[in-house]
Structures are given as structure tokens and as C-alpha cells.
Amino acid sequence: MKDLQPIQLPGVDNKRPIIIAGPCSAETEDQVMTTARQLAEHGVKIFRAGIWKPRTKPGGFEGIGVEGLSWLKRVKEETGMYTATEVATERHVFEALKHGIDILWIGARTTANPFAVQEIANALKGVDIPVLIKNPVNPDLELWIGAVERIYNAGLRRLAVIHRGFSSYDKQLYRNMPQWHIPIELRRRLPQLPIFCDPSHIGGKRELVAPLCQQAMDMGFDGLIVESHCDPDCAWSDKNQQVTPDALDYILNMLVIRETTQTTENLSELRHQIDQLDNQLLELLAKRMRVSREIGQYKKEHSMPVLQASRYDEILQKRMAQAVELDMGAEFMKEVMQAIHEESVHQQMEIINR
Ligand code: PEP
Ligand code: MN
């Protein structure tokens, strides 16, 4: 994919960060126009809005549908902004193109399905339009690259990806775990492919939008796609993560864009990897404690004692040997396992004595 081209939209500066902003969903003509006007006043050049919404369960707001495309056309005419929307089927592609949408994106649930991505690719043959491909919901880099290849093979060259985090079963800080090492590996594999960050879907909360934008910039990402709504608390979808156009403007003005001088850039990337790994360690520990509490419940129901010395000793010996194999000290691992075990016993005691 050596001949990938920049997104190239006349009037849009290619300097970092390229900003795409707009509501999660187009809800009413008034909400779309109000949000768009406010964003345009702050200098945003590309407007996003979901027209068809992939919802986890039926019954929620599933998007306004084709009607909303004419509102986006109006946004373009009245504000001069480019417009972007999500497509998941061949029909979405045809309708979006018919209504003059400038940029298409493929959502995370769609990227996870090669049949759907291929259907979109087929519908796009011979069309020259920028397409942004979100990562699949599951942390599978090959599946993500595969989706990019399908669109590329249909002849499209103005491609980019959007990092929106990966879903997880366990309770966590983020709505979708960033797993930064995955987009970083994608950058290494396809250095000419621009990467956008979607802090709204990673964070799931307004407070996390600003730090995630900064983190994406520190990682050398090219752009940001942020959900912005004129009245976030009343949004029909994803209300907790949307910010007003004024708040977005504030967030963007606070960003520190460090230029990519090799050594410090590499260091901050590495530090972010450490942060990310620590987050994963914490999440894993939380998962381990959850299993441990389940064991506590079992022990309670079967009147077993909390402490089973032989099992503990077996774990300790095994982990110390494994640590040595992995170039870590046995004593260090002993201390780590003792601390974990202590907390685990503590949590089981609480269940048993409840
Ligand atoms: C969206 O951008 O509103 C959306 C549905 O995102 P994702 O596909 O990342 O869940
Ligand atoms: Mn959304």
C-alpha cells in the first residue's frame, strides 16, 4: 500500500491535528444546524454525524436515516464544512454518495465483519472519496489491516484509520481500552497511513476527552475525531462522552503539539507504553481478584477454610520458577505473589464473613 495518498481536502490544513467534530448522531435538523454553526465558528472544517447508528440492543435510537443526509447537505452549503458519516452497508454508501457526503467512515462493529467491509468496498469501486476505517471492537490488528486492504483493493487511495479503543468484559477506567501498542504497531507496519484518535469512544466520559486528545498528539497521531453536541446532556446517543463546541474549542486550544524530534518523541512513546501496560496490569489484577472472590463464595458454600497452604505454596514455587524463565528475579516474584495473595485472602475473608 505504498501509494496511499493524504486525505487532501482543499481548504483543510494537513498539519496536526486534523479535526473532525460533530454529534454522535444527527437527531433533528435544528440540533445538526446549531451544532454545525457553532463548530464552524470555532474553525472546525470537517463535520461528523451518524445517520445510521449501530446499537448494542434494539429499541435505542437507531439513527434518523436518509432524512438526515439532507441536513448534512445543508451544513455543507451554509457553513462550508466538509461532511462525514458512518456507512455499514451498500445502501448506506449509495445514499451517502447521492447526498454529496465528503468522507465516509466504517464503524468498529462493521470493521469486525469482513463480509460487511467487502460489501462496502464493492460499492465503492471506482469512487474517489476519503474513507476512515475504525479499529474492530476486538483487539485484532490483522483484522483492522485486512479491512484497510479491502477498501484499498477496491481502488481507493485516500485512506486513514481511527483508533477508538477495544471493548472488554471487565470493569475499567475507559469505555474502550486504548491498547496504544496496537495503533503504534499499525504505524510501524503502514507508516504512510494517517491515524485519527477518537477520544470520545475510548473514554466514554467527557473528562477523559482532553487527556486522551493530548495523549494521541504525544503519540504522533495525525488527527482527532471528537463527538460534539450543542446540548450534550440531551443527546439521543452517547450523551456522557459528548462535549459542547465551546468545550471542544477550549480542549483543542490547550493541546500541546510537540514536534516529532526523534529522541524525546521515542521516550514519550515508551512512557505511554509503560502507562498503558500498568493499566493492563491493574485490570488483570482486578480480574484475578474477581475470580478469587468467586472462589471465596464457593469455599463459603462448602464450608472450606480460606487459606489452603499447599495450594498457596504450589503457586508461589511455580511463579518464582516462571519469573526466572522470563528474566526476572525469583525473590522479586515472591514478593509480588505474596502481596497479591494477601489481598486475595483479604477479599475472600470479607465474603466468608459477610
Ligand atoms: C460513532 O462514531 O458514533 C460510533 C458508533 O463509533 P464506533 O463505531 O467506534 O463504536
Ligand atoms: Mn457515538
Side-chain angles (χ1 to χ4, degrees):
M1 288 191 265
K2 290 260 183 288
D3 59 340
L4 284 170
Q5 289 164 12
I7 298 296
Q8 274 167 354
L9 296 164
V12 180
D13 212 341
N14 250 339
K15 93 175 200 296
R16 296 196 309 137
I18 302 167
I19 304 295
I20 303 173
C24 177
S25 306
E27 299 162 3
T28 64
E29 184 161 13
D30 202 40
Q31 166 252 5
V32 166
M33 292 313 300
T34 306
T35 307
R37 281 190 205 107
Q38 293 176 5
L39 288 167
E41 272 168 31
H42 287 304
V44 173
K45 298 278 194 287
I46 309 172
F47 184 76
R48 66 148 281 161
I51 293 291
W52 301 280
K53 301 305 297 178
R55 304 311 296 275
T56 303
K57 290 200 173 141
F61 175 56
E62 300 203 309
I64 201 72
V66 174
E67 184 189 0
L69 291 170
S70 57
W71 308 339
L72 295 186
K73 205 165 171 193
R74 202 177 144 205
V75 166
K76 195 167 155 171
E77 285 161 5
E78 291 185 21
T79 70
M81 281 193 280
Y82 291 97
T83 55
T85 201
E86 171 176 348
V87 290
T89 66
E90 174 186 76
R91 188 179 69 87
H92 295 167
V93 172
F94 294 146
E95 293 292 353
L97 294 177
K98 196 166 86 191
H99 288 81
I101 298 295
D102 302 289
I103 299 172
L104 305 177
W105 85 78
I106 297 179
R109 294 159 192 78
T110 307
T111 306
N113 177 355
F115 291 131
V117 176
Q118 193 56 52
E119 177 183 314
I120 294 168
N122 294 344
L124 283 170
K125 278 208 178 101
V127 181
D128 177 24
I129 187 170
V131 180
L132 314 184
I133 298 135
K134 286 198 168 196
N135 64 258
V137 281
N138 50 323
D140 184 340
L141 178 59
E142 299 312 319
L143 190 58
W144 195 2
I145 294 178
V148 176
E149 282 174 2
R150 286 179 197 277
I151 306 297
Y152 178 89
N153 289 343
L156 288 92
R157 292 295 175 268
R158 289 191 288 160
L159 305 182
V161 292
I162 301 172
H163 170 228
R164 50 78 80 195
F166 302 90
S167 58
S168 137
Y169 180 71
D170 280 282
K171 200 164 56 186
Q172 45 171 324
L173 171 63
Y174 301 103
R175 176 176 176 191
N176 290 295
M177 293 185 298
Q179 308 228 43
W180 296 100
H181 61 281
I182 296 177
I184 288 171
E185 173 62 11
L186 178 58
R187 157 93 353 132
R188 198 184 64 78
R189 297 262 295 266
L190 297 171
Q192 66 282 47
L193 186 65
I195 306 182
F196 284 75
C197 176
D198 176 343
S200 315
H201 290 90
I202 293 177
K205 302 181 194 75
R206 266 163 233 168
E207 318 82 86
L208 290 176
V209 171
L212 284 164
C213 285
Q214 184 62 55
Q215 202 164 347
M217 287 301 99
D218 292 345
M219 309 284 237
F221 282 26
D222 304 276
L224 300 168
I225 176 166
V226 188
E227 286 190 338
S228 179
H229 189 291
C230 56
D231 186 3
D233 286 330
C234 296
W236 297 359
S237 60
D238 287 351
K239 65 180 186 165
N240 296 330
Q241 68 193 34
Q242 304 207 57
V243 296
T244 61
D246 281 348
L248 176 65
D249 186 57
Y250 180 78
I251 291 169
L252 297 178
N253 283 323
M254 295 301 282
L255 283 181
V256 180
I257 311 297
R258 298 176 183 92
E259 266 334 307
T260 52
T261 52
Q262 272 308 336
T263 50
T264 53
E265 167 85 357
N266 288 346
L267 192 58
S268 75
E269 262 186 28
L270 290 170
R271 286 185 174 146
H272 282 303
Q273 285 192 45
I274 292 283
D275 287 345
Q276 182 55 34
L277 287 167
D278 282 352
N279 284 340
Q280 288 178 13
L281 262 179
L282 282 165
E283 278 161 25
L284 263 182
L285 280 173
K287 198 186 271 185
R288 194 185 191 281
M289 292 304 159
R290 197 189 67 212
V291 174
S292 191
R293 286 195 297 275
E294 280 176 29
I295 293 179
Q297 189 61 36
Y298 182 93
K299 287 178 180 166
K300 180 178 185 169
E301 281 160 16
H302 295 79
S303 306
M304 288 163 73
V306 164
L307 192 67
Q308 307 210 298
S310 62
R311 167 70 181 154
Y312 175 46
D313 189 56
E314 179 197 315
I315 288 185
L316 208 54
Q317 297 309 325
K318 265 198 194 144
R319 301 298 178 262
M320 286 163 73
Q322 285 172 298
V324 173
E325 296 257 87
L326 295 169
D327 289 330
M328 291 178 285
E331 272 313 301
F332 159 71
M333 191 44 56
K334 190 175 176 187
E335 279 178 30
V336 171
M337 291 315 298
Q338 278 170 339
I340 293 175
H341 184 251
E342 202 178 310
E343 173 65 10
S344 203
V345 167
H346 177 77
Q347 298 219 4
Q348 291 194 0
M349 292 291 244
E350 263 187 3
I351 288 186
I352 289 187
N353 296 324
R354 199 173 278 164

